[in-house]
Amino acid sequence: MRLSVPHALAPACVGLALIATACTNEEVGSSPEDHEPQPSAGAEPFEPVLAPRLLSEMDLDDKIGQLLVLTAQGTSAADNAAQIEAHRPGGLIYFDANLEGAEQIAAMSAGVQDLAAEQGRGVPLFLGIDQEQGLVARLPVGTGFPDAMAVGATRDTELAELRAATTAEELTALGVNLNYAPVADVNTDPNNPVIGVRSFGSDPDLVARMAVAEAGAYSANGVVPVAKHFPGHGDTDVDSHSGLPVIDMPRDRWEAEHLPPFKAAIDAGVDAIMTAHVLMPQLVGGEDPEPATLSPEIIDGILREELGYDGVVTTDALNMEGVRQRHSDGEVAVRALEAGVDQLLMPPDPAAAVSAIRGAVEEGRLTEERIDESVLRVLALKEKRGVLEAEPVDVEGAAAVLEDPAHAEAAQRVADASATLVRNEGGLLPLAEGDGVRVRGVGAEEIAAALTEAGMNVVDGAAGEADAVVVGTEGGSGASEQSALVASARAEGLLVVVVSQGTPYDLAAFPEAEAFLALYSSVDVSRAAAARVVAGLVKPSGKLPVDVPAADVEAGTGLTT
């Protein structure tokens, strides 16, 4: 496995000849007049050569196209020919429906890049994906790592780097050069419906360390990382896919709890940042604030001027309801650019977005110089990460990269280190080798198979044959059937081991269980890790990366055996 895994993120900020320096160490909240932005200590200056030349040769249609990242169509390059010809986009984003197998994905990537080379100025595409790992993973092939919260439980930045570097090698083999990861949100609301295990935890410093480690590993291995979702999606109780979350939080609390990971990523020179479709009225003031994605006060004001960030800023998906409630799709595109955004991700009507942007330029609402700023950032990042002069994808060799046994070993290593034993009354775990174990609930089949492989006596018969019951849960605090499984086992007089595969907040839902093991993920390697802990093959070493208020348990809790 040929991976470059740095111990700290040190790529350059996107330093542009025509734009200000990318990064700064100035304190949040200070006036931009008080401090000129300075390069961060870990960043090496990058001066693009090809990007300014390309920009000077572009017409307005070419420029507007570079601002668009469109949803890929179908499963072949031919399925995307029409939209590439019509809009000359800066990138495409892949979803499950586009992805079938390694050779197909690699061939599609190679094909759409060929099509892009034939249009306009022939600028190669950013080919992006949401391959966060765990809950949000689009690839149907390759290595399945645990979710970010599991990585947070390890407290080990080298494991964060390993997860990102391995993922990056697989994406590169498929021709994917940008990943909408890592998640830099701090999950402070246990009822958050959209972040949860996608976050590294509830401690802003822990999240900062892990996010910076992963971003550095992605960029060092040929994939552009995108830290998301600024200014923070971790304290929401509404999913911005279906509504507009409102976070009525004082600025000082936001600075303390949700800004640190983004500040750390900016100081380290992160390539790109994604905005959040969240409303934070106390950050912007005024009587009629816009969602962060459309807010000049948050993007140009806080992110650009106060934090000194001059890298690429992308919207979250523009087909989400959190950003479509007040304006037409074309108007949303214009307002995002007015706010300081560079790339428009998944505009639901690309033609409307292009028309609205062109109209705004013709009317003087947006200047072409403003468009040039964003296009230059995009082109400079493509140059910096080798996209403009990338080697062709090895279509036939892609599958072999994804099937590297070292990748599976890396995923299991992360999962084993993340398993967190929160409760172990009477020293129940590990179970004795001859104990009869019944397995029920979420992931029962996979956990039972892993227990058998670990040498345990898995039974599925009458009550008298079992000594203990392993109950798999996921979101158990709201699932009565999972509680019923635990109650049924206790009624039979059996010892209960709860294996939680979602957020650990359901700890309070199972007070009668003798043992509670948190995995933070339902991927195969996490379930295997649970079996290895139950069987005594692995000593649990994970620590809770979040507080569990309902159970009065603090982050950092973790037992061993």
Side-chain angles (χ1 to χ4, degrees):
M1 183 167 57
R2 299 179 301 279
L3 304 179
S4 173
V5 185
H7 289 278
L9 176 58
C13 300
V14 183
L16 308 181
L18 304 184
I19 313 177
T21 308
C23 294
T24 179
N25 286 320
E26 71 182 64
E27 291 300 316
V28 177
S30 60
S31 168
E33 289 79 17
D34 295 337
H35 303 281
E36 288 296 323
Q38 299 295 322
S40 69
E44 298 176 2
F46 173 76
E47 292 297 334
V49 176
L50 298 177
R53 188 185 311 158
L54 273 173
L55 176 63
S56 69
E57 298 170 350
M58 286 181 166
D59 61 25
L60 184 57
D61 287 334
D62 284 321
K63 294 174 182 178
I64 293 174
Q66 285 301 304
L67 308 180
L68 308 177
V69 176
L70 305 181
T71 306
Q73 303 297 304
T75 56
S76 71
D79 293 328
N80 291 275
Q83 67 172 353
I84 290 175
E85 181 178 1
H87 302 301
R88 312 174 200 174
L92 300 177
I93 180 172
Y94 289 154
F95 283 91
D96 309 54
N98 309 121
L99 312 173
E100 295 176 343
E103 188 168 330
Q104 171 266 325
I105 300 168
M108 183 175 177
S109 298
V112 294
Q113 293 290 19
D114 288 342
L115 290 172
E118 298 167 3
Q119 304 300 325
R121 300 309 307 166
V123 180
L125 299 162
F126 276 139
L127 294 180
I129 195 170
D130 285 308
Q131 189 67 9
E132 296 173 15
Q133 289 288 5
L135 185 65
V136 178
R138 309 299 185 195
L139 293 178
V141 291
T143 306
F145 277 82
D147 292 85
M149 193 170 285
V151 180
T154 73
R155 299 296 202 278
D156 189 340
T157 55
E158 290 189 10
L159 293 180
E161 292 165 351
L162 179 63
R163 185 177 82 138
T166 307
T167 303
E169 187 180 39
E170 296 187 356
L171 292 176
T172 300
L174 299 172
V176 178
N177 53 33
L178 182 149
N179 194 9
Y180 292 101
V183 173
D185 301 312
V186 181
N187 201 78
T188 53
D189 186 343
N191 297 314
N192 195 315
V194 66
I195 302 301
V197 293
R198 298 169 62 194
S199 167
F200 292 107
S202 61
D203 177 355
D205 292 331
L206 172 65
V207 175
R209 292 196 304 273
M210 295 298 176
V212 167
E214 287 210 349
Y218 277 121
S219 59
N221 287 279
V223 172
V224 171
V226 181
K228 61 187 186 184
H229 310 79
F230 186 85
H233 212 311
D235 200 65
T236 59
D237 57 6
V238 173
D239 185 344
S240 54
H241 291 84
S242 57
L244 176 59
V246 178
I247 307 175
D248 195 15
M249 178 184 296
R251 173 153 180 158
D252 58 352
R253 182 180 158 203
W254 169 74
E255 289 184 3
E257 295 182 2
H258 297 277
L259 176 60
F262 294 102
K263 179 72 162 61
I266 290 167
D267 288 347
V270 70
D271 285 343
I273 290 176
M274 176 184 284
T275 66
H277 304 326
V278 298
L279 199 66
M280 298 193 71
Q282 296 196 52
L283 289 191
V284 300
E287 297 180 358
D288 193 26
E290 292 276 15
T293 297
L294 308 182
S295 171
E297 293 88 351
I298 290 178
I299 306 305
D300 259 344
I302 296 176
L303 183 57
R304 295 288 194 202
E305 294 181 11
E306 293 184 26
L307 296 173
Y309 185 63
D310 202 22
V312 170
V313 175
T314 177
T315 69
D316 203 344
L318 293 180
N319 63 355
M320 294 165 60
E321 286 305 308
V323 77
R324 301 179 74 193
Q325 295 185 350
R326 302 174 59 180
H327 309 291
S328 68
D329 290 333
E331 179 67 9
V332 165
V334 173
R335 286 181 178 247
L337 295 176
E338 287 181 323
V341 163
D342 301 307
Q343 283 207 310
L344 307 171
L345 178 62
M346 298 169 60
D349 185 344
V354 170
S355 177
I357 295 167
R358 175 173 273 284
V361 173
E362 292 171 350
E363 296 166 6
R365 182 177 170 186
L366 284 171
T367 66
E368 192 161 351
E369 288 75 19
R370 167 65 190 91
I371 301 295
D372 288 352
E373 289 179 5
S374 286
V375 175
L376 187 54
R377 289 188 187 104
V378 171
L379 294 176
L381 182 54
K382 288 183 176 182
E383 180 179 347
K384 177 184 175 186
R385 293 296 170 224
V387 175
L388 296 183
E389 299 179 301
E391 294 293 324
V393 178
D394 180 4
V395 175
E396 295 181 355
V401 175
L402 274 65
E403 294 165 2
D404 186 342
H407 291 193
E409 293 170 7
Q412 192 64 64
R413 180 182 165 195
V414 173
D416 287 351
S418 71
T420 306
L421 188 58
V422 185
R423 185 189 302 146
N424 192 28
E425 293 180 3
L428 174 59
L429 296 183
L431 297 178
E433 186 174 343
D435 287 346
V437 185
R438 190 188 303 163
V439 187
R440 294 288 184 267
V442 178
E445 184 176 343
E446 293 82 0
I447 295 172
L451 283 167
T452 300
E453 184 176 345
M456 297 301 295
N457 176 28
V458 177
V459 300
D460 195 27
E465 298 178 7
D467 299 291
V469 177
V470 171
V471 177
T473 69
E474 188 171 5
S477 56
S480 58
E481 65 273 14
Q482 296 176 18
S483 296
L485 289 173
V486 174
S488 174
R490 297 300 294 124
E492 295 178 38
L494 300 176
L495 301 170
V496 177
V497 179
V498 168
V499 174
S500 170
Q501 296 154 71
T503 59
Y505 301 118
D506 56 3
L507 173 64
F510 307 108
E512 65 273 37
E514 282 80 9
F516 186 96
L517 183 64
L519 303 178
Y520 321 97
S521 191
S522 58
V523 296
D524 289 345
V525 290
S526 292
R527 289 168 172 167
R532 290 150 70 95
V533 170
V534 170
L537 301 181
V538 167
K539 286 187 174 295
S541 58
K543 305 292 183 184
L544 279 178
V546 294
D547 295 318
V548 185
D552 196 25
V553 176
E554 295 183 349
T557 299
L559 308 174
T560 190
T561 56

